[in-house]
Amino acid sequence: MGYDLNSSYTNCFGGTSASYPQVSGIAALMLSVNPNLTATQVKTIIEKSAQKKGSYSYGYYPTIHPNGTWNENVGYGLVNALGAVMEAYFYNYSVNGTTSVSSCNTYTYSVSNSTMPNGTTLTWTTSSNIEIVSGQGTSSVTVRPIGSGNGWVSANYTYEGYTVTKTKKVTITSGYTTCYNNYTASGSMTLGMNSVIAGTFTITDGNTVTINSTTYCSPDAKIVINPGGKLVVDGGTITNLCTGKMWNAIYVVGNTYQRQLAQYQGTLEVKNGSVIENSSWGIVTWNGTSYATTGGIVQCTNSTFLNNGRQIEFYPYTNHNASNEECNNVSYFKNCNFTIDNNNLFSSSNVTYTDMIKMSGVRGISIRGCHFSDNRTGTPARGSAIRIAGASASINPSCSFGDYTPNLPCNCTGESRNTFYCFTKGIDVENTGSNYSFSVFK
């Protein structure tokens, strides 16, 4: 076929006459590794594994061409011998394991057949709300759900650059009545008792969310307070959902180019015996990626920050008054406790503790009557209670009545001084070239 007596081959032989023997040969190879495939299955595999070539526009027409995108000139694309044979070989393979799982528990998934062609590698992948605990690269993997909602566990077989994927879809429940999974608060609301946050919980402009009981956060949980949004933690606790696993952080997002007013900045208010604990990054005043989002407002009184990898971090921001004159940041801490102890989850969560409060490029953060303690036994790296880098702060006593103003007659009743226990440095000040000054009284 295609042979010319006057030369070895002809260059005038193409179209369907040439494609038939090529596709037939690929079908024969497929049946050699899996002789149980039906004609329909062979056709489906060839179509699904075809490569999209050239500058053709491939469209999706599921009712008449259900096996991928299609073009009227080249169909599903260029037949892929390696891909078709790989798909045929692993056609009857699957992932064994349960389809219903609970957050924080561990589960084992395995491939239905551990036989693979020489040179094939097996890797496991999961959705973002499931983490791999052990078994990567083997025929059986142990995983832990760290969120809620829908997820998946996949076994990926790769040979010569082509990968066949077998997936088990799962549904994750938190074990609690109310779970906010990648949730956006579009109106003001109060989270109920024992609520769970998984993924990103976003508070949008003009809305206030209140937490006055215990809220549990999965390891992938983060709370994002957008400009104009507000989170009030009033006698509530925000803690970890999974034993031994810290959650992410509270992101108080701002607008670097606006004044520090509530309509322009995200606001976090923590008060009345609230507790924020076991967070990898505690509270940060930006969105995590852009320095144009600094300026968030953090105002905390009579509350506890416990065993967070870094309790609070302020990113560079310059506040201005109505006359466009530079003025102090409106964030403050009064009568708060900042503590780490032996119950921390740093090691099990692969988190390195640094400082309690860090501030860079901000002016006038007020810290009054707060207590900083590192109660860990042994000889861990202690770090600093307060680290000030090119910034300024006012570190003064608090008063039950009146106010404490340095260098002026005392008008303070019920004075409570800041205290520091067991740090390498209580207050670490670094000059990065700014003209900011700081004050420490009592």
Side-chain angles (χ1 to χ4, degrees):
M1 180 177 293
Y3 186 74
D4 185 352
L5 294 176
N6 297 319
S7 61
S8 297
Y9 297 95
T10 179
N11 59 4
C12 300
F13 180 62
T16 55
S17 296
S19 63
Y20 281 152
Q22 294 180 53
V23 175
S24 297
I26 292 172
L29 291 173
M30 294 167 62
L31 292 170
S32 73
V33 299
N34 190 346
N36 296 319
L37 292 174
T38 66
T40 299
Q41 290 168 342
V42 169
K43 177 178 178 291
T44 297
I45 290 172
I46 291 175
E47 291 176 348
K48 285 187 173 182
S49 62
Q51 297 175 298
K52 310 304 178 185
K53 292 293 186 178
S55 57
Y56 299 99
S57 176
Y58 293 85
Y60 187 55
Y61 311 99
T63 56
I64 55 176
H65 302 294
N67 295 321
T69 56
W70 187 87
N71 176 272
E72 63 180 1
N73 295 311
V74 293
Y76 288 100
L78 177 67
V79 289
N80 183 344
L82 172 62
V85 173
M86 283 280 288
E87 297 286 353
Y89 186 97
F90 293 104
Y91 187 82
N92 300 111
Y93 283 43
S94 61
V95 175
N96 295 329
T98 183
T99 58
S100 180
V101 297
S102 298
S103 295
C104 307
N105 295 324
T106 56
Y107 300 87
T108 298
Y109 292 84
S110 61
V111 294
S112 58
N113 189 332
S114 59
T115 304
M116 299 184 297
N118 291 335
T120 303
T121 59
L122 170 61
T123 57
W124 292 90
T125 54
T126 59
S127 54
S128 61
N129 52 3
I130 299 175
E131 66 177 0
I132 295 175
V133 177
S134 62
Q136 180 63 274
T138 69
S139 60
S140 179
V141 67
T142 299
V143 303
R144 178 188 293 114
I146 57 174
S148 65
N150 296 321
W152 47 263
V153 178
S154 292
N156 306 281
Y157 302 91
T158 302
Y159 179 81
E160 294 291 335
Y162 188 89
T163 299
V164 176
T165 298
K166 299 295 179 178
T167 297
K168 174 71 72 173
K169 294 181 178 180
V170 300
T171 300
I172 307 168
T173 58
S174 67
Y176 293 90
T177 302
T178 305
C179 182
Y180 299 95
N181 183 41
N182 291 315
Y183 182 85
T184 298
S186 56
S188 295
M189 60 187 294
T190 298
L191 301 193
M193 175 73 75
N194 296 332
S195 293
V196 171
I197 293 175
T200 302
F201 185 99
T202 304
I203 304 172
T204 54
D205 182 17
N207 297 306
T208 298
V209 172
T210 301
I211 295 176
N212 54 21
S213 55
T214 300
T215 293
Y216 297 94
C217 293
S218 67
D220 68 339
K222 59 182 179 180
I223 301 172
V224 178
I225 310 169
N226 281 338
K230 185 175 184 179
L231 172 63
V232 178
V233 188
D234 185 359
T237 296
I238 305 177
T239 189
N240 58 307
L241 172 66
C242 298
T243 302
K245 290 292 182 179
M246 304 176 78
W247 56 284
N248 190 279
I250 299 175
Y251 295 80
V252 190
V253 182
N255 184 333
T256 306
Y257 309 106
Q258 293 285 356
R259 295 172 58 198
Q260 207 171 29
L261 301 175
Q263 64 262 40
Y264 302 131
Q265 316 292 348
T267 301
L268 171 64
E269 183 179 332
V270 185
K271 59 186 179 181
N272 295 330
S274 295
V275 178
I276 296 177
E277 64 180 2
N278 297 328
S279 166
S280 296
W281 299 109
I283 300 167
V284 293
T285 58
W286 70 331
N287 69 355
T289 58
S290 172
Y291 283 98
T293 63
T294 64
I297 300 168
V298 181
Q299 298 178 331
C300 305
T301 56
N302 300 302
S303 295
T304 296
F305 301 88
L306 177 62
N307 288 329
N308 301 300
R310 170 173 278 150
Q311 314 275 31
I312 318 285
E313 182 164 9
F314 289 93
Y315 283 81
Y317 169 78
T318 302
N319 192 20
H320 292 86
N321 60 24
S323 301
N324 203 34
E325 299 168 330
E326 185 175 353
C327 59
N328 287 341
N329 196 295
V330 301
S331 297
Y332 61 79
F333 303 89
K334 182 179 179 181
N335 298 336
C336 291
N337 296 310
F338 297 84
T339 304
I340 53 174
D341 57 28
N342 289 332
N343 295 318
N344 71 79
L345 307 178
F346 302 152
S347 178
S348 60
S349 298
N350 196 30
V351 170
T352 301
Y353 165 75
T354 52
D355 313 296
M356 296 249 174
I357 298 178
K358 179 183 178 183
M359 54 187 78
S360 304
V362 291
R363 170 180 162 174
I365 303 290
S366 176
I367 300 173
R368 297 192 170 212
C370 294
H371 305 286
F372 300 83
S373 302
D374 184 344
N375 297 328
R376 293 174 293 175
T377 57
T379 57
R382 300 290 180 180
S384 303
I386 303 173
R387 184 180 176 194
I388 302 173
S392 72
S394 174
I395 304 172
N396 299 319
S398 66
C399 308
S400 298
F401 300 98
D403 196 8
Y404 185 91
T405 304
N407 303 319
L408 293 178
C410 183
N411 186 33
C412 178
T413 302
E415 177 183 274
S416 178
R417 302 181 180 184
N418 295 289
T419 61
F420 304 88
Y421 175 75
C422 210
F423 294 93
T424 302
K425 297 179 180 179
I427 304 172
D428 182 9
V429 181
E430 177 185 356
N431 185 351
T432 60
S434 72
N435 294 320
Y436 290 145
S437 62
F438 71 98
S439 61
V440 180
F441 291 88
K442 296 186 178 183

